[in-house]
Each structure stands twice: as C-alpha cells, then as structure tokens.
C-alpha cells in the first residue's frame, strides 16, 4: 500500500529539463512583448537636429535653435527652440518654444498598440521624460488621429496635459482662448464615438452622421470641463 503522506520524488532527465526550459523561454518571448509593445519611448535615444546648438554649463542645459526636430522613439517634437536637460538619474526633459509670428511648437506620439497618434500644438511644449507627461501651453490644441490623418478627437484649451504612459489628457480654459465665438475662453472639444471607424465605413461616402454633422458645425459645442479623459480602448 502506497503512503500518500510521503510521495516519491519525481526525477526528470537532463533532456526533459532542457525541453522544459526551452518551452518556458518560448512562452516568455510570446507573452512579454504584448505587455508594453509601444512603451519603450523612455528607453530610446534622444536625437536632435537644428541650425545651431549651444551648451550652458552653469545651468546644465543644451539649447538648440532654428528648425529644431527632436525624436525619441515614437515621439516627434518640432519647434524654433528646444532646451534639453538631464537629471542625475538619466531622465531627460525637453522644453520647446515657438517663434512669434511663426508656427506653433508641435509634437506627435504613437498610441500604445494601435494605429492611432496624438498630435499637439502650443506656444510652449514641455516634455517630462520621468513622468512621461507632455504639457502644452497657450493656444494649445490636441488631436487624436486614426492612421495618422483622420481626426477622431480635437481639444482646444489654454493648457493641455497629456500623460503619454496612461494615455489620459486634461484641458483647462484661459484668456488666450477668448475670441468672438468663445468670449469666456472656455475649453472646446469634439469627441468621436468609440466605434467611429466602423461607423464611417458603414456610411455612404465614408463619414458617419455624427461626424458629418460635426464637420458642418450642426452640433452644439460641448460644455467646457477642466478634465477630459481618454481611457485605453
């Protein structure tokens, strides 16, 4: 009679152990990339092109001026002037400025795991490499685009923050938003339904009824808010 309280140990051959280890390695290779496929921007090198570059040793800042283009993974930043610093931990911080009378500072980043992009404009754009948060100030605009071209969401505000890691953005009103159509300088937003892509394909001419109405200006403006979230789909 077998004593169940003291089961016999199981021994595996060296060949079986190697096969088991290989199986776990394959499983790990299949699973790991799915977790954060597009979340490697913070680990990518910072590449910058400009007409001129200087270094301020006292402030420990690199200053790039004239048609500046900065890339870091899927992040793209364009401006007239960009200042870059790095903390002792190795995190990088970039502040982009526009040239008065010229185009606004511009940024783009690909969303995690889907064919969508976030585009942003502002007189100043500050990117915090440690928190992975971009802050756009003065005449700020943020757009969510499908395939890099089709506008799904569009936000206008005085200050817009975009948390690139959690994919959440917030917008605040301000005096720079005041105009004839917006006398109180409130946040303005146009948000597409979550099934906008499928709806557009179903409608003749490639546009859903809500999207077509919004394009004509038939829909009333959204009520302003201090925070507008964009949860992961």
């Amino acid at each position: 009679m077998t004593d169940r309280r003291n089961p016999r140990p199981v021994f595996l051959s060296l060949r079986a152990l190697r096969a088991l280890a290989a199986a776990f390695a394959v499983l790990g290779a299949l699973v790991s990339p799915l977790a954060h496929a597009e979340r490697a921007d913070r680990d990518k090198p910072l590449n910058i092109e400009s007409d001129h570059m200087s270094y301020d040793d006292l402030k420990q800042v690199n200053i790039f001026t004239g048609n500046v283009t900065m890339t870091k993974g899927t992040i793209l930043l364009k401006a007239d002037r960009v200042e870059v610093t790095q903390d002792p931990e190795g995190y990088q911080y970039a502040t982009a400025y526009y040239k008065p009378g010229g185009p606004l500072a511009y940024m783009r980043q690909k969303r995690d795991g889907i064919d969508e992009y976030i585009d942003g404009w502002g007189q100043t754009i500050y990117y915090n490499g440690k928190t992975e948060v971009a802050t756009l100030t003065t005449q700020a605009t943020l757009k969510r685009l499908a395939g890099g071209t089709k506008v799904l969401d569009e936000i206008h505000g005085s200050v817009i923050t975009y948390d690139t890691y959690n994919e959440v953005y917030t917008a605040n009103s301000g005096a720079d938003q005041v105009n004839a159509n917006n006398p109180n300088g409130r946040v303005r937003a146009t948000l597409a339904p979550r099934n906008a892509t499928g709806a557009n394909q179903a409608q003749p001419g490639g546009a859903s009824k809500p999207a077509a109405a919004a394009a004509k200006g038939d829909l009333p403006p959204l009520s302003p808010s201090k925070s507008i979230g964009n949860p992961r789909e």
Side-chain angles (χ1 to χ4, degrees), residues 160-218:
I160 298 176
T161 61
Y162 175 53
D163 184 334
T164 65
Y165 187 85
N166 295 304
E167 297 182 332
V168 172
Y169 44 82
T170 64
N172 293 299
S173 59
D176 59 286
Q177 297 298 303
V178 174
N179 56 49
N181 297 319
N182 188 16
N184 296 317
R186 289 149 71 87
V187 172
R188 293 295 182 104
T190 301
L191 307 178
R194 309 322 291 176
N195 61 346
T197 303
N200 290 341
Q201 293 174 348
Q203 292 292 331
S208 65
K209 291 181 179 179
K216 295 178 181 178
D218 296 337

Short mmCIF file of all heavy atoms in Angstrom, two decimals, residues 160-218:
data_model
loop_
_atom_site.label_atom_id
_atom_site.label_comp_id
_atom_site.label_asym_id
_atom_site.label_seq_id
_atom_site.Cartn_x
_atom_site.Cartn_y
_atom_site.Cartn_z
N ILE A 160 -2.98 72.20 -21.90
CA ILE A 160 -3.38 70.80 -22.08
C ILE A 160 -2.23 69.91 -21.64
O ILE A 160 -1.07 70.13 -22.04
CB ILE A 160 -3.72 70.49 -23.56
CG1 ILE A 160 -4.91 71.34 -24.02
CG2 ILE A 160 -4.02 69.01 -23.74
CD1 ILE A 160 -5.25 71.16 -25.49
N THR A 161 -2.52 68.95 -20.79
CA THR A 161 -1.50 67.98 -20.37
C THR A 161 -1.87 66.61 -20.94
O THR A 161 -3.04 66.22 -20.91
CB THR A 161 -1.38 67.89 -18.84
OG1 THR A 161 -2.64 67.48 -18.29
CG2 THR A 161 -1.00 69.24 -18.26
N TYR A 162 -0.86 65.92 -21.44
CA TYR A 162 -1.08 64.58 -21.99
C TYR A 162 -0.14 63.60 -21.32
O TYR A 162 1.08 63.70 -21.45
CB TYR A 162 -0.85 64.59 -23.51
CG TYR A 162 -0.95 63.21 -24.13
CD1 TYR A 162 -2.07 62.40 -23.92
CD2 TYR A 162 0.09 62.70 -24.92
CE1 TYR A 162 -2.15 61.13 -24.47
CE2 TYR A 162 0.01 61.44 -25.49
CZ TYR A 162 -1.11 60.66 -25.26
OH TYR A 162 -1.18 59.40 -25.80
N ASP A 163 -0.72 62.67 -20.58
CA ASP A 163 0.03 61.62 -19.92
C ASP A 163 0.25 60.51 -20.95
O ASP A 163 -0.66 59.74 -21.23
CB ASP A 163 -0.76 61.10 -18.71
CG ASP A 163 0.00 60.04 -17.91
OD1 ASP A 163 0.86 59.36 -18.49
OD2 ASP A 163 -0.29 59.91 -16.70
N THR A 164 1.44 60.47 -21.55
CA THR A 164 1.69 59.55 -22.65
C THR A 164 1.70 58.08 -22.20
O THR A 164 1.44 57.20 -23.01
CB THR A 164 3.03 59.87 -23.34
OG1 THR A 164 4.11 59.65 -22.42
CG2 THR A 164 3.06 61.32 -23.80
N TYR A 165 1.99 57.82 -20.93
CA TYR A 165 2.03 56.44 -20.44
C TYR A 165 0.63 55.91 -20.19
O TYR A 165 0.28 54.81 -20.62
CB TYR A 165 2.87 56.35 -19.17
CG TYR A 165 3.09 54.91 -18.72
CD1 TYR A 165 4.13 54.15 -19.26
CD2 TYR A 165 2.26 54.32 -17.78
CE1 TYR A 165 4.32 52.84 -18.88
CE2 TYR A 165 2.44 53.00 -17.39
CZ TYR A 165 3.48 52.26 -17.94
OH TYR A 165 3.65 50.96 -17.57
N ASN A 166 -0.19 56.68 -19.48
CA ASN A 166 -1.55 56.24 -19.17
C ASN A 166 -2.56 56.64 -20.23
O ASN A 166 -3.73 56.28 -20.14
CB ASN A 166 -1.99 56.83 -17.82
CG ASN A 166 -1.15 56.29 -16.67
OD1 ASN A 166 -1.05 55.09 -16.46
ND2 ASN A 166 -0.51 57.19 -15.93
N GLU A 167 -2.12 57.43 -21.23
CA GLU A 167 -2.97 57.85 -22.34
C GLU A 167 -4.21 58.59 -21.83
O GLU A 167 -5.34 58.26 -22.16
CB GLU A 167 -3.34 56.66 -23.22
CG GLU A 167 -2.11 56.03 -23.88
CD GLU A 167 -2.44 54.87 -24.79
OE1 GLU A 167 -3.46 54.20 -24.55
OE2 GLU A 167 -1.67 54.63 -25.74
N VAL A 168 -3.97 59.58 -21.02
CA VAL A 168 -5.03 60.43 -20.47
C VAL A 168 -4.64 61.88 -20.68
O VAL A 168 -3.47 62.24 -20.49
CB VAL A 168 -5.23 60.15 -18.96
CG1 VAL A 168 -6.20 61.16 -18.35
CG2 VAL A 168 -5.75 58.73 -18.74
N TYR A 169 -5.58 62.72 -21.11
CA TYR A 169 -5.26 64.12 -21.26
C TYR A 169 -6.28 65.00 -20.54
O TYR A 169 -7.43 64.62 -20.34
CB TYR A 169 -5.13 64.55 -22.72
CG TYR A 169 -6.17 64.05 -23.68
CD1 TYR A 169 -7.41 64.67 -23.82
CD2 TYR A 169 -5.90 62.97 -24.52
CE1 TYR A 169 -8.34 64.23 -24.73
CE2 TYR A 169 -6.82 62.51 -25.42
CZ TYR A 169 -8.04 63.15 -25.54
OH TYR A 169 -8.97 62.69 -26.45
N THR A 170 -5.84 66.18 -20.12
CA THR A 170 -6.69 67.15 -19.44
C THR A 170 -6.53 68.50 -20.12
O THR A 170 -5.48 68.78 -20.71
CB THR A 170 -6.34 67.29 -17.95
OG1 THR A 170 -5.01 67.83 -17.83
CG2 THR A 170 -6.40 65.95 -17.24
N ALA A 171 -7.56 69.34 -20.04
CA ALA A 171 -7.52 70.66 -20.65
C ALA A 171 -8.11 71.69 -19.71
O ALA A 171 -9.08 71.40 -18.99
CB ALA A 171 -8.28 70.64 -21.98
N ASN A 172 -7.54 72.89 -19.72
CA ASN A 172 -8.03 73.99 -18.90
C ASN A 172 -8.27 75.22 -19.76
O ASN A 172 -7.57 75.44 -20.76
CB ASN A 172 -7.02 74.33 -17.79
CG ASN A 172 -6.88 73.20 -16.78
OD1 ASN A 172 -7.84 72.83 -16.12
ND2 ASN A 172 -5.68 72.65 -16.69
N SER A 173 -9.24 76.01 -19.37
CA SER A 173 -9.57 77.23 -20.10
C SER A 173 -8.58 78.33 -19.77
O SER A 173 -7.76 78.21 -18.86
CB SER A 173 -10.99 77.68 -19.73
OG SER A 173 -11.08 77.92 -18.33
N GLY A 174 -8.65 79.45 -20.53
CA GLY A 174 -7.75 80.56 -20.28
C GLY A 174 -8.03 81.74 -21.19
O GLY A 174 -8.79 81.63 -22.17
N ALA A 175 -7.40 82.86 -20.89
CA ALA A 175 -7.65 84.10 -21.63
C ALA A 175 -7.23 83.98 -23.09
O ALA A 175 -7.80 84.65 -23.96
CB ALA A 175 -6.91 85.25 -20.96
N ASP A 176 -6.21 83.16 -23.39
CA ASP A 176 -5.75 83.05 -24.77
C ASP A 176 -6.75 82.36 -25.68
O ASP A 176 -6.59 82.35 -26.90
CB ASP A 176 -4.41 82.30 -24.82
CG ASP A 176 -4.51 80.90 -24.25
OD1 ASP A 176 -4.59 80.79 -23.01
OD2 ASP A 176 -4.50 79.93 -25.02
N GLN A 177 -7.82 81.77 -25.09
CA GLN A 177 -8.85 81.11 -25.88
C GLN A 177 -10.01 82.05 -26.23
O GLN A 177 -10.95 81.66 -26.91
CB GLN A 177 -9.39 79.89 -25.11
CG GLN A 177 -8.37 78.81 -24.87
CD GLN A 177 -7.84 78.23 -26.15
OE1 GLN A 177 -8.59 77.72 -26.99
NE2 GLN A 177 -6.52 78.30 -26.34
N VAL A 178 -9.96 83.26 -25.71
CA VAL A 178 -11.05 84.22 -25.93
C VAL A 178 -11.06 84.69 -27.39
O VAL A 178 -10.03 85.11 -27.93
CB VAL A 178 -10.90 85.43 -24.99
CG1 VAL A 178 -11.95 86.50 -25.33
CG2 VAL A 178 -11.05 85.00 -23.54
N ASN A 179 -12.22 84.60 -28.01
CA ASN A 179 -12.44 85.15 -29.35
C ASN A 179 -13.92 85.42 -29.52
O ASN A 179 -14.70 85.27 -28.57
CB ASN A 179 -11.91 84.20 -30.44
CG ASN A 179 -12.51 82.81 -30.34
OD1 ASN A 179 -13.73 82.65 -30.24
ND2 ASN A 179 -11.65 81.78 -30.35
N ALA A 180 -14.32 85.83 -30.71
CA ALA A 180 -15.71 86.20 -30.95
C ALA A 180 -16.66 85.03 -30.70
O ALA A 180 -17.79 85.22 -30.23
CB ALA A 180 -15.88 86.72 -32.37
N ASN A 181 -16.22 83.81 -31.00
CA ASN A 181 -17.06 82.63 -30.80
C ASN A 181 -16.90 82.00 -29.43
O ASN A 181 -17.64 81.08 -29.08
CB ASN A 181 -16.74 81.59 -31.88
CG ASN A 181 -17.05 82.09 -33.28
OD1 ASN A 181 -18.07 82.75 -33.51
ND2 ASN A 181 -16.16 81.79 -34.22
N ASN A 182 -15.93 82.47 -28.66
CA ASN A 182 -15.67 81.90 -27.33
C ASN A 182 -15.28 83.03 -26.38
O ASN A 182 -14.14 83.12 -25.94
CB ASN A 182 -14.55 80.85 -27.45
CG ASN A 182 -14.33 80.07 -26.16
OD1 ASN A 182 -15.18 80.07 -25.26
ND2 ASN A 182 -13.21 79.39 -26.06
N PRO A 183 -16.23 83.91 -26.04
CA PRO A 183 -15.91 85.11 -25.26
C PRO A 183 -15.39 84.83 -23.86
O PRO A 183 -14.74 85.69 -23.26
CB PRO A 183 -17.24 85.86 -25.22
CG PRO A 183 -18.28 84.82 -25.44
CD PRO A 183 -17.66 83.83 -26.37
N ASN A 184 -15.64 83.64 -23.33
CA ASN A 184 -15.19 83.31 -21.97
C ASN A 184 -13.92 82.45 -21.97
O ASN A 184 -13.45 82.05 -20.91
CB ASN A 184 -16.30 82.58 -21.21
CG ASN A 184 -17.52 83.46 -20.98
OD1 ASN A 184 -17.38 84.63 -20.64
ND2 ASN A 184 -18.71 82.91 -21.21
N GLY A 185 -13.38 82.17 -23.12
CA GLY A 185 -12.13 81.41 -23.20
C GLY A 185 -12.24 80.00 -22.68
O GLY A 185 -11.29 79.47 -22.10
N ARG A 186 -13.41 79.38 -22.89
CA ARG A 186 -13.64 78.04 -22.34
C ARG A 186 -13.01 76.94 -23.20
O ARG A 186 -12.66 77.16 -24.37
CB ARG A 186 -15.14 77.81 -22.18
CG ARG A 186 -15.75 78.65 -21.06
CD ARG A 186 -17.19 79.02 -21.35
NE ARG A 186 -18.10 77.90 -21.26
CZ ARG A 186 -18.70 77.50 -20.13
NH1 ARG A 186 -18.46 78.12 -19.00
NH2 ARG A 186 -19.53 76.49 -20.13
N VAL A 187 -12.83 75.77 -22.60
CA VAL A 187 -12.30 74.61 -23.32
C VAL A 187 -13.31 74.19 -24.39
O VAL A 187 -14.51 74.16 -24.15
CB VAL A 187 -12.05 73.44 -22.35
CG1 VAL A 187 -11.69 72.17 -23.11
CG2 VAL A 187 -10.94 73.80 -21.37
N ARG A 188 -12.82 73.89 -25.57
CA ARG A 188 -13.67 73.39 -26.66
C ARG A 188 -13.20 72.00 -27.04
O ARG A 188 -12.00 71.75 -27.18
CB ARG A 188 -13.59 74.31 -27.88
CG ARG A 188 -14.21 75.71 -27.66
CD ARG A 188 -15.72 75.60 -27.44
NE ARG A 188 -16.34 76.90 -27.28
CZ ARG A 188 -17.06 77.51 -28.22
NH1 ARG A 188 -17.20 76.94 -29.40
NH2 ARG A 188 -17.63 78.67 -27.97
N ALA A 189 -14.14 71.07 -27.25
CA ALA A 189 -13.77 69.70 -27.59
C ALA A 189 -14.77 69.09 -28.54
O ALA A 189 -15.98 69.35 -28.45
CB ALA A 189 -13.68 68.85 -26.32
N THR A 190 -14.28 68.32 -29.49
CA THR A 190 -15.11 67.49 -30.36
C THR A 190 -14.60 66.06 -30.22
O THR A 190 -13.43 65.78 -30.52
CB THR A 190 -14.99 67.94 -31.84
OG1 THR A 190 -15.41 69.30 -31.94
CG2 THR A 190 -15.88 67.07 -32.72
N LEU A 191 -15.46 65.16 -29.74
CA LEU A 191 -15.05 63.79 -29.44
C LEU A 191 -15.83 62.82 -30.31
O LEU A 191 -17.07 62.85 -30.35
CB LEU A 191 -15.30 63.47 -27.96
CG LEU A 191 -14.69 64.46 -26.95
CD1 LEU A 191 -15.06 64.04 -25.53
CD2 LEU A 191 -13.18 64.52 -27.10
N ALA A 192 -15.12 61.96 -31.02
CA ALA A 192 -15.76 60.96 -31.87
C ALA A 192 -16.25 59.80 -31.03
O ALA A 192 -15.67 59.49 -29.98
CB ALA A 192 -14.76 60.46 -32.91
N PRO A 193 -17.33 59.12 -31.43
CA PRO A 193 -17.76 57.91 -30.73
C PRO A 193 -16.70 56.85 -30.83
O PRO A 193 -15.89 56.85 -31.77
CB PRO A 193 -19.05 57.51 -31.45
CG PRO A 193 -18.94 58.14 -32.80
CD PRO A 193 -18.19 59.42 -32.59
N ARG A 194 -16.66 55.94 -29.87
CA ARG A 194 -15.58 54.95 -29.83
C ARG A 194 -15.62 54.02 -31.02
O ARG A 194 -14.62 53.42 -31.38
CB ARG A 194 -15.65 54.11 -28.54
CG ARG A 194 -15.73 54.91 -27.26
CD ARG A 194 -14.89 56.18 -27.27
NE ARG A 194 -13.45 55.92 -27.25
CZ ARG A 194 -12.53 56.87 -27.33
NH1 ARG A 194 -12.89 58.12 -27.43
NH2 ARG A 194 -11.27 56.57 -27.31
N ASN A 195 -16.80 53.86 -31.68
CA ASN A 195 -16.89 52.99 -32.86
C ASN A 195 -16.87 53.82 -34.13
O ASN A 195 -17.43 53.44 -35.15
CB ASN A 195 -18.17 52.15 -32.82
CG ASN A 195 -19.42 53.03 -32.81
OD1 ASN A 195 -19.34 54.24 -32.59
ND2 ASN A 195 -20.57 52.42 -33.05
N ALA A 196 -16.20 54.97 -34.08
CA ALA A 196 -16.22 55.90 -35.22
C ALA A 196 -15.68 55.26 -36.48
O ALA A 196 -16.20 55.49 -37.57
CB ALA A 196 -15.41 57.15 -34.88
N THR A 197 -14.64 54.45 -36.37
CA THR A 197 -14.03 53.86 -37.57
C THR A 197 -15.00 52.95 -38.29
O THR A 197 -15.21 53.05 -39.48
CB THR A 197 -12.76 53.08 -37.20
OG1 THR A 197 -11.86 53.96 -36.53
CG2 THR A 197 -12.10 52.52 -38.44
N GLY A 198 -15.65 52.06 -37.52
CA GLY A 198 -16.63 51.15 -38.13
C GLY A 198 -17.82 51.90 -38.68
O GLY A 198 -18.35 51.58 -39.74
N ALA A 199 -18.28 52.94 -37.96
CA ALA A 199 -19.44 53.70 -38.41
C ALA A 199 -19.13 54.43 -39.71
O ALA A 199 -19.95 54.49 -40.62
CB ALA A 199 -19.85 54.71 -37.34
N ASN A 200 -17.91 54.94 -39.83
CA ASN A 200 -17.54 55.65 -41.04
C ASN A 200 -17.52 54.73 -42.24
O ASN A 200 -17.89 55.11 -43.35
CB ASN A 200 -16.17 56.31 -40.87
CG ASN A 200 -16.22 57.47 -39.89
OD1 ASN A 200 -17.28 57.99 -39.61
ND2 ASN A 200 -15.05 57.86 -39.38
N GLN A 201 -17.10 53.51 -42.03
CA GLN A 201 -17.06 52.57 -43.13
C GLN A 201 -18.47 52.16 -43.55
O GLN A 201 -18.73 51.86 -44.70
CB GLN A 201 -16.27 51.33 -42.72
CG GLN A 201 -14.79 51.62 -42.51
CD GLN A 201 -14.04 50.43 -41.98
OE1 GLN A 201 -14.65 49.44 -41.55
NE2 GLN A 201 -12.72 50.49 -41.99
N ALA A 202 -19.41 52.16 -42.59
CA ALA A 202 -20.76 51.73 -42.89
C ALA A 202 -21.56 52.81 -43.61
O ALA A 202 -22.50 52.53 -44.33
CB ALA A 202 -21.48 51.34 -41.60
N GLN A 203 -21.20 54.07 -43.44
CA GLN A 203 -21.96 55.16 -44.03
C GLN A 203 -21.50 55.43 -45.45
O GLN A 203 -20.31 55.40 -45.75
CB GLN A 203 -21.78 56.44 -43.19
CG GLN A 203 -22.41 56.38 -41.83
CD GLN A 203 -23.92 56.34 -41.92
OE1 GLN A 203 -24.50 56.88 -42.86
NE2 GLN A 203 -24.56 55.72 -40.96
N PRO A 204 -22.43 55.70 -46.37
CA PRO A 204 -22.03 56.07 -47.74
C PRO A 204 -21.16 57.32 -47.70
O PRO A 204 -21.43 58.26 -46.96
CB PRO A 204 -23.38 56.35 -48.43
CG PRO A 204 -24.40 55.62 -47.61
CD PRO A 204 -23.88 55.65 -46.20
N GLY A 205 -20.12 57.32 -48.53
CA GLY A 205 -19.24 58.48 -48.57
C GLY A 205 -18.18 58.47 -47.50
O GLY A 205 -17.37 59.37 -47.41
N GLY A 206 -18.18 57.42 -46.64
CA GLY A 206 -17.11 57.25 -45.67
C GLY A 206 -17.21 58.12 -44.45
O GLY A 206 -16.24 58.31 -43.74
N ALA A 207 -18.36 58.69 -44.11
CA ALA A 207 -18.49 59.51 -42.91
C ALA A 207 -19.77 59.17 -42.19
O ALA A 207 -20.82 58.97 -42.79
CB ALA A 207 -18.49 60.99 -43.28
N SER A 208 -19.68 59.03 -40.88
CA SER A 208 -20.87 58.75 -40.08
C SER A 208 -21.70 60.01 -39.96
O SER A 208 -21.23 61.12 -40.16
CB SER A 208 -20.46 58.27 -38.69
OG SER A 208 -19.79 59.30 -38.01
N LYS A 209 -22.97 59.87 -39.61
CA LYS A 209 -23.85 61.02 -39.47
C LYS A 209 -23.36 61.99 -38.40
O LYS A 209 -23.33 63.19 -38.63
CB LYS A 209 -25.27 60.56 -39.18
CG LYS A 209 -25.93 59.86 -40.37
CD LYS A 209 -27.35 59.44 -40.04
CE LYS A 209 -28.00 58.76 -41.25
NZ LYS A 209 -29.38 58.32 -40.92
N PRO A 210 -22.97 61.51 -37.21
CA PRO A 210 -22.46 62.46 -36.21
C PRO A 210 -21.22 63.18 -36.67
O PRO A 210 -21.06 64.37 -36.45
CB PRO A 210 -22.16 61.56 -34.99
CG PRO A 210 -23.04 60.37 -35.18
CD PRO A 210 -23.10 60.16 -36.66
N ALA A 211 -20.31 62.45 -37.36
CA ALA A 211 -19.08 63.09 -37.82
C ALA A 211 -19.38 64.12 -38.88
O ALA A 211 -18.80 65.21 -38.92
CB ALA A 211 -18.10 62.03 -38.37
N ALA A 212 -20.33 63.79 -39.80
CA ALA A 212 -20.68 64.73 -40.86
C ALA A 212 -21.32 65.98 -40.27
O ALA A 212 -21.06 67.10 -40.70
CB ALA A 212 -21.62 64.06 -41.85
N ALA A 213 -22.18 65.78 -39.25
CA ALA A 213 -22.83 66.93 -38.62
C ALA A 213 -21.81 67.81 -37.92
O ALA A 213 -21.89 69.04 -37.97
CB ALA A 213 -23.88 66.45 -37.62
N ALA A 214 -20.83 67.18 -37.28
CA ALA A 214 -19.81 67.96 -36.59
C ALA A 214 -18.98 68.76 -37.58
O ALA A 214 -18.60 69.89 -37.32
CB ALA A 214 -18.90 67.03 -35.78
N ALA A 215 -18.71 68.15 -38.76
CA ALA A 215 -17.93 68.85 -39.76
C ALA A 215 -18.67 70.08 -40.27
O ALA A 215 -18.08 71.09 -40.61
CB ALA A 215 -17.61 67.91 -40.92
N LYS A 216 -20.02 69.99 -40.32
CA LYS A 216 -20.81 71.13 -40.78
C LYS A 216 -21.04 72.16 -39.69
O LYS A 216 -21.53 73.24 -39.94
CB LYS A 216 -22.17 70.64 -41.29
CG LYS A 216 -22.09 69.75 -42.53
CD LYS A 216 -23.47 69.29 -42.92
CE LYS A 216 -23.44 68.37 -44.14
NZ LYS A 216 -24.80 67.89 -44.48
N GLY A 217 -20.75 71.78 -38.46
CA GLY A 217 -20.99 72.68 -37.35
C GLY A 217 -22.43 72.63 -36.87
O GLY A 217 -22.91 73.55 -36.20
N ASP A 218 -23.17 71.53 -37.20
CA ASP A 218 -24.57 71.42 -36.80
C ASP A 218 -24.72 71.03 -35.34
O ASP A 218 -25.78 71.22 -34.75
CB ASP A 218 -25.28 70.37 -37.67
CG ASP A 218 -25.33 70.80 -39.13
OD1 ASP A 218 -25.24 72.02 -39.38
OD2 ASP A 218 -25.45 69.93 -40.00
#
